[in-house]
Amino acid sequence: MDDCLPPVSSLNREREQRNSNFSKSYLQTSDLKRHCLRSSLSIMSTFSGDETAPFFGFLGAAAALVFSCMGAAYGTAKSGVGVASMGVMRPELVMKSIVPVVMAGVLGIYGLIIAVIISTGINPKAKSYYLFDGYAHLSSGLACGLAGLSAGMAIGIVGDAGVRANAQQPKLFVGMILILIFAEALALYGLIVGIILSSRAGQSRAE
């Protein structure tokens, strides 16, 4: 019966081998943990503030530009259709009726201004960037972008109907321009509020 049992020396060798393999794997795991810890500490040392805050800031910059350009594109397309339809019968009025297209194109510049202001204000390595700052930039971008979108829709609809009516009754030109100015003012309101909100970033706490 004793012949069936393995020798004690072989059991000791197997036990020592298992222990050595466990020690190697433990050391490798410890090295990996130390490496990850050093990497995370180095990242934290170069980043000050909340790590998720820049997401909202960049989202605000994108929203300002995207929504403003959507309004500008809609206003340009809608007014352009009216100008093209009117120009078939009254080609001499095309350059005079191009005003709605120009005013719609300005909306994209408003969004560009806010997007540049927001993006230059996001620099966590130079200055701490907290959630308050991200929310301020997000609200700034949404204010300017959505105001530009609504103004572009108004300019497009008024410009399309206005240039067609102006071709039949020239006395309507001044009234059309006034309506377009007040529609453009909506985007200007969003630009002003966007600048004020973006200036609030960085005032959440004293550095």
Side-chain angles (χ1 to χ4, degrees):
M1 183 174 181
D2 294 338
D3 295 338
C4 299
L5 297 174
V8 177
S9 59
S10 63
L11 291 176
N12 291 333
R13 282 196 300 270
E14 291 178 0
R15 187 180 298 108
E16 291 176 358
Q17 186 176 4
R18 284 197 300 268
N19 291 335
S20 63
N21 292 334
F22 176 77
S23 300
K24 291 180 181 178
S25 62
Y26 179 76
L27 291 175
Q28 292 175 355
T29 305
S30 300
D31 293 338
L32 181 61
K33 289 181 178 178
R34 284 194 295 269
H35 177 71
C36 294
L37 183 60
R38 284 196 300 268
S39 300
S40 61
L41 289 176
S42 63
I43 293 174
M44 292 175 63
S45 62
T46 58
F47 191 97
S48 58
D50 297 313
E51 295 184 359
T52 57
F55 169 77
F56 297 101
F58 289 121
L59 188 62
L65 186 62
V66 169
F67 287 126
S68 295
C69 288
M70 286 175 63
Y74 181 84
T76 301
K78 188 75 172 173
S79 301
V81 170
V83 173
S85 300
M86 180 273 302
V88 174
M89 301 302 296
R90 301 288 300 275
E92 69 276 5
L93 295 177
V94 170
M95 295 307 297
K96 187 178 180 181
S97 302
I98 208 74
V99 176
V101 177
V102 176
M103 297 184 72
V106 175
L107 302 178
I109 300 177
Y110 294 164
L112 177 64
I113 293 172
I114 293 297
V116 170
I117 292 175
I118 293 175
S119 60
T120 54
I122 304 175
N123 190 5
K125 291 185 178 180
K127 185 179 181 181
S128 299
Y129 194 81
Y130 301 102
L131 285 175
F132 178 89
D133 309 325
Y135 294 152
H137 285 157
L138 176 61
S139 61
S140 172
L142 289 176
C144 179
L146 293 178
L149 177 60
S150 60
M153 295 178 66
I155 290 173
I157 295 173
V158 172
D160 184 18
V163 296
R164 295 174 191 266
N166 181 60
Q168 299 178 1
Q169 179 54 262
K171 293 182 179 180
L172 294 174
F173 182 75
V174 176
M176 181 189 70
I177 295 299
L178 288 176
I179 297 173
L180 291 174
I181 289 174
F182 282 105
E184 183 84 13
L186 300 177
L188 188 60
Y189 301 155
L191 175 65
I192 295 173
V193 173
I195 293 175
I196 294 174
L197 288 174
S198 63
S199 66
R200 293 292 297 169
Q203 300 180 9
S204 60
R205 62 192 76 183
E207 292 292 340

